[in-house]
C-alpha cells in the first residue's frame, strides 16, 4: 500500500463513517455485557440513548429508542443484534462505494 492509499484509509476511518463503525462496535460490546448481572438495565438504556443520537446523523433505520423502552435486558438482545446488522450493511455499502471511487 502506498502513502496516498494509506492516507485515504486514515481519512476514511477518521470520518463520520468511522464514528458509525465505532457505534456498531459499542453495540456489539453491549451484547456481550448485557448478559452480566452486574450491568443494570438503566446503564444499558443510557448507553442506547447516547448511541441513538450518534446514529441518528446517518440515513439508517434507528430502533434504539424503542429498544431502550423494552422491559428486560433479555428482550433487548435480538433487536440490538438486528441494529448491528443494519449498521454493518450500511457501513459495508458505504465502504464499497468509497473504495470503488477512490482506488
Amino acid at each position: 500500500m502506498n502513502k496516498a492509499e494509506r492516507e485515504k484509509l486514515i481519512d476514511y476511518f477518521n470520518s463520520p463513517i468511522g464514528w458509525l463503525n465505532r457505534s456498531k462496535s459499542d453495540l456489539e460490546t453491549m451484547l456481550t455485557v448485557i448478559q452480566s448481572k452486574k450491568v443494570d438495565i438503566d446503564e444499558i438504556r443510557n448507553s442506547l440513548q447516547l448511541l441513538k443520537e450518534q446514529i441518528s446523523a446517518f440515513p439508517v433505520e434507528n430502533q434504539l429508542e424503542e429498544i431502550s423502552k423494552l422491559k428486560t435486558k433479555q428482550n433487548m438482545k435480538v433487536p440490538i443484534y438486528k441494529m448491528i446488522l443494519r449498521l454493518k450493511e450500511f457501513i459495508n455499502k458505504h465502504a464499497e462505494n468509497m473504495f470503488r471511487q477512490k482506488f
Side-chain angles (χ1 to χ4, degrees), residues 59-74:
V60 178
E61 183 184 356
N62 188 339
Q63 297 289 319
L64 295 182
E65 179 69 31
E66 291 80 6
I67 296 169
S68 70
K69 292 178 182 177
L70 295 173
K71 303 266 188 229
T72 68
K73 294 189 298 182
Q74 184 67 31

Side-chain angles (χ1 to χ4, degrees), residues 78-95:
V78 171
I80 289 173
Y81 179 73
K82 288 180 179 178
M83 187 73 212
I84 291 167
L85 293 178
R86 276 194 291 279
L87 293 176
K88 193 180 290 189
E89 180 182 1
F90 180 84
I91 292 164
N92 288 344
K93 283 182 182 178
H94 186 275

Side-chain angles (χ1 to χ4, degrees), residues 20 24 29 35 44 51 54 57 59 63 73 82 92 97:
L20 187 63
K24 178 193 69 71
T29 301
Q35 316 233 7
I44 300 296
L51 290 172
Q54 293 172 8
Q63 297 289 319
K73 294 189 298 182
K82 288 180 179 178
N92 288 344
N97 290 336

Side-chain angles (χ1 to χ4, degrees), residues 15-20 23 53-62 87 90:
S15 73
I17 199 74
W19 302 335
L20 187 63
S23 295
E53 290 178 27
Q54 293 172 8
I55 294 170
S56 67
F58 297 89
V60 178
E61 183 184 356
N62 188 339
L87 293 176
F90 180 84

